[in-house]
Amino acid sequence: MPQKPEILDARVVAKSRLFTVEQMQLRFSNGTERTYERLVGSGAGYGAVMVVALQDERTALLIEEYCGGTHDYQLSLPKGLVEPGEDVLDAANRELMEEAGFGAQRMELLGKLSLSPGYMSQSISVVLARDLYEKRLPGDEPEPIRVDSVDLYALSELLSRPGFSEGRALAALYLVRDLLEQRGELRP
């Protein structure tokens, strides 16, 4: 494992309700010095969850909601922040109920994904949810969320669907498909 660079200086250069921009002066092991900037979450950092909820052995739920970053409606997986003191699996089930109107009897933490580790410290926990039942909780969304679905064997077609560009969601769906195939729980 390479030696991490030495942090010579670190300071906040911008801050909003959601993000803090930190500038770091670094010295690498070969003596080279560089300035890096990164986004650091402004909150307490309890984490975030993304849920691959299976309606049946090969159909995953998608949701469509407005996304400020692209100023468009996007298809993705149910996701959201983990509340202070909340277990990751409980947060995943809550988000699933708020955004898709389903709860899950079986939940499994699969791992974490990052969006852009070159300049962001945030990651998201990927959770597999199965044995769904109808249950809606009120959420913080400003309007109703449309629920859609995708066949785990039609994932390459997602990129041609209008409003789908979420790389983490695509990675999570492929991860679930691969994992279930390895376990012998899914066949094409």
Side-chain angles (χ1 to χ4, degrees):
M1 189 81 161
Q3 180 181 340
K4 290 182 183 179
E6 176 187 0
I7 299 174
L8 303 173
D9 186 40
R11 63 179 59 138
V12 173
V13 294
K15 190 173 180 84
S16 75
R17 182 179 63 85
L18 295 175
F19 300 105
T20 298
V21 179
E22 182 181 60
Q23 187 177 72
M24 300 183 306
Q25 281 298 125
L26 303 174
R27 179 180 298 129
F28 289 82
S29 60
N30 64 2
T32 302
E33 292 185 13
R34 290 283 190 276
T35 301
Y36 277 63
E37 290 183 348
R38 66 180 180 170
L39 294 175
V40 182
S42 295
Y46 299 105
V49 293
M50 175 175 276
V51 186
V52 179
L54 296 181
Q55 288 181 298
D56 57 43
E57 70 174 21
R58 61 185 279 164
T59 307
L61 293 176
L62 296 174
I63 61 163
E64 182 182 62
E65 64 181 332
Y66 175 76
C67 296
T70 59
H71 185 54
D72 201 2
Y73 286 85
Q74 294 281 311
L75 282 170
S76 188
L77 295 170
K79 60 188 167 301
L81 297 177
V82 177
E83 300 294 332
E86 188 176 35
D87 175 78
V88 169
L89 296 179
D90 291 338
N93 213 15
R94 176 184 49 76
E95 288 293 339
L96 182 59
M97 291 177 204
E98 289 176 2
E99 295 187 353
F102 289 94
Q105 293 179 3
R106 292 192 304 160
M107 310 279 293
E108 179 182 355
L109 178 62
L110 300 181
K112 289 187 175 191
L113 296 174
S114 62
L115 178 61
S116 187
Y119 70 93
M120 293 177 72
S121 61
Q122 292 90 350
S123 65
I124 196 162
S125 296
V126 178
V127 173
L128 173 60
R130 295 194 270 188
D131 297 334
L132 303 184
Y133 56 91
E134 288 189 33
K135 181 164 184 185
R136 179 159 302 280
L137 291 178
D140 59 359
E141 290 76 19
E143 61 187 1
I145 294 176
R146 186 176 73 83
V147 178
D148 202 335
S149 64
V150 64
D151 185 307
L152 292 177
Y153 286 99
L155 297 179
S156 60
E157 297 169 16
L158 269 178
L159 290 177
S160 65
R161 286 175 72 174
F164 184 87
S165 66
E166 171 69 68
R168 297 174 303 173
L170 189 59
L173 288 163
Y174 273 107
L175 173 68
V176 164
R177 185 177 81 182
D178 191 49
L179 179 69
L180 294 178
E181 282 179 345
Q182 288 176 13
R183 292 178 179 172
E185 298 177 39
L186 182 64
R187 300 191 201 304

